[in-house]
Amino acid sequence: MIRFALRLSCGVFALLAAFEPAAAQSPVYTVAKVAVNTKASDAVTAKEQAIREGSQRAFRKLLSRLVAFKAHDRLPELSASAIDGMLDGFVVREERFSSTRYIATLDFTFEAGKIRDLLNRIGLPHTDQQSPPVKLLPVAQGESVGETWRAAWGALDLKHGLAPLDMPPAQAASLPAGMSMTARAVQVLQGRLGAPRLVLAFAAVDASGGRLRVALRGEDAVGRFAFAQDFRVYDGDIAEAAGRAARIARMALEARWRLTSLKTQGALDGPAPLESFALTAAFDSLPAWQDMRSKISSISGVQDVEVKSLFAGGAELVLSFPGGAERFAKAAAARGLTLDRSGGEWILRQR
């Protein structure tokens, strides 16, 4: 975890403690709806094994969510105890058990600081910046397919990813009469729902019953979006095909935002040596300083932050970042901060 080493008088320490806000953790560090199903010699052992296996799967899913796709082959393999050390807790959504089996759906939340520290140490480009939410409307040809298609999306964790999706009630998700999957349909529904960012997700089973045809169209947080793919229906199991299709389409939406966020931060500019530099953080209140400090900590690649002094209206810092101040300026801009050169010094401000 990035620690802000601070050299101040005891009185200033007390003042800072009085104004210390509760840290707000990004929802992207929660991996929800993890299904577990384990069998053991007794119910207690089965539950312990399920939680351990579930946390490991959630950890891998979290790293895949945050890290640039081109770096997925370098994702670390950690022991169960190491993963437990990064786990903030878990919530049981639902559970069933017998004398030897445990079946449940769990949500796992990891400590943001420890995850960032791990990824920074390894040097993996990553982002935890969530996009603005996007309305998702699953629509289908045929009532039974429509229910199955909507259920497939509902089974996914739409809230905690990098690109959160909001699925309105079913009655709001129907296409206007006589209207097909066109740009005009998207515009009509955008107006009806008051949602400038809206994606229609259409599904239909072909005449042979062997393929599920899927098409997404609309506008997400990046811009206009289109996706089309056919999915094989095995043994007539449309629900399985719909689940597979929804997962892949969800990954496509998330990958777009992750790539955009990483580019904005300069995290894909290539490797660069770690450079230390000094800057002055300008702020007008202690809450503003705490907010700025939190944003600095959340920037991928930041290491060894030291506060040299704190004074009315600002703080003098030294930190390390790959590529130095110029690259840090680009990453800071994505967090709502500006770093400018003035009088030979770097000045960091809230935008």
Side-chain angles (χ1 to χ4, degrees), residues 255-312:
R256 274 167 57 86
W257 175 257
R258 180 173 58 236
L259 181 61
T260 299
S261 180
L262 287 166
K263 284 182 176 178
T264 301
Q265 295 178 32
L268 301 180
D269 290 347
L274 199 65
E275 297 181 19
S276 296
F277 60 95
L279 62 85
T280 297
F283 49 84
D284 56 11
S285 66
L286 282 172
W289 159 237
Q290 298 291 356
D291 181 59
M292 181 179 286
R293 194 175 76 168
S294 176
K295 288 178 178 178
I296 293 171
S297 297
S298 70
I299 295 173
S300 170
V302 168
Q303 297 184 41
D304 305 325
V305 181
E306 182 177 359
V307 181
K308 292 293 188 179
S309 65
L310 185 66
F311 51 89

Side-chain angles (χ1 to χ4, degrees), residues 5-349:
L6 185 58
R7 298 173 182 173
L8 296 168
S9 68
C10 293
V12 176
F13 271 122
L15 183 60
L16 281 174
F19 281 88
E20 184 76 28
Q25 177 160 291
S26 169
V28 302
Y29 290 95
T30 293
V31 179
K33 300 184 179 180
V34 178
V36 294
N37 185 341
T38 58
K39 187 176 182 180
S41 58
D42 58 79
V44 173
T45 303
K47 183 173 183 177
E48 291 174 348
Q49 180 179 329
I51 293 171
R52 183 170 59 253
E53 292 177 359
S55 66
Q56 291 172 334
R57 285 167 46 208
F59 175 75
R60 289 193 295 270
K61 186 172 183 178
L62 174 62
L63 295 197
S64 297
R65 172 187 291 172
L66 302 179
V67 173
F69 179 75
K70 69 176 185 178
H72 278 190
D73 60 345
R74 295 196 289 127
L75 293 179
E77 293 288 341
L78 301 186
S79 65
S81 60
I83 293 173
D84 285 345
M86 299 184 184
L87 190 63
D88 191 41
F90 69 93
V91 174
V92 178
R93 282 179 174 256
E94 56 182 3
E95 63 180 353
R96 293 183 289 126
F97 48 86
S98 67
S99 58
T100 58
R101 185 176 292 278
Y102 182 77
I103 303 172
T105 303
L106 310 173
D107 294 357
F108 293 91
T109 298
F110 294 86
E111 293 189 35
K114 292 182 178 180
I115 296 295
R116 292 190 194 112
D117 187 47
L118 170 69
L119 298 178
N120 284 335
R121 287 201 319 268
I122 300 173
L124 294 176
H126 62 279
T127 180
D128 62 2
Q129 189 173 13
Q130 258 194 335
S131 77
V134 175
K135 291 283 187 186
L136 172 78
L137 298 186
V139 293
Q141 188 176 65
E143 184 176 345
S144 61
V145 177
E147 293 175 356
T148 302
W149 183 227
R150 185 175 180 83
W153 283 98
L156 300 179
D157 178 11
L158 302 180
K159 176 182 177 182
H160 299 99
L162 291 177
L165 299 173
D166 175 28
M167 191 165 63
Q171 59 268 25
S174 58
L175 285 172
M179 190 169 287
S180 59
M181 279 278 293
T182 62
R184 176 58 182 158
V186 173
Q187 291 175 351
V188 169
L189 287 169
Q190 283 176 327
R192 177 194 293 178
L193 297 172
R197 291 180 294 272
L198 180 144
V199 172
L200 290 177
F202 178 78
V205 179
D206 69 2
S208 70
R211 289 191 175 276
L212 181 70
R213 293 180 172 171
V214 171
L216 274 68
R217 184 167 188 168
E219 187 167 337
D220 63 1
V222 178
R224 290 186 179 180
F225 176 73
F227 170 92
Q229 187 171 332
D230 287 358
F231 294 86
R232 180 80 176 270
V233 178
Y234 296 99
D235 300 323
D237 192 345
I238 296 175
E240 187 280 331
R244 187 163 19 100
R247 287 194 300 273
I248 291 175
R250 174 81 174 98
M251 289 169 59
L253 283 163
E254 185 141 298
R256 274 167 57 86
W257 175 257
R258 180 173 58 236
L259 181 61
T260 299
S261 180
L262 287 166
K263 284 182 176 178
T264 301
Q265 295 178 32
L268 301 180
D269 290 347
L274 199 65
E275 297 181 19
S276 296
F277 60 95
L279 62 85
T280 297
F283 49 84
D284 56 11
S285 66
L286 282 172
W289 159 237
Q290 298 291 356
D291 181 59
M292 181 179 286
R293 194 175 76 168
S294 176
K295 288 178 178 178
I296 293 171
S297 297
S298 70
I299 295 173
S300 170
V302 168
Q303 297 184 41
D304 305 325
V305 181
E306 182 177 359
V307 181
K308 292 293 188 179
S309 65
L310 185 66
F311 51 89
E316 294 181 348
L317 286 71
V318 174
L319 60 86
S320 299
F321 191 78
E326 286 79 7
R327 279 206 182 183
F328 176 78
K330 188 174 182 180
R335 297 291 184 180
L337 303 172
T338 60
L339 182 68
D340 299 307
R341 192 93 170 163
S342 176
E345 297 182 359
W346 290 106
I347 309 296
L348 185 69
R349 295 183 176 88

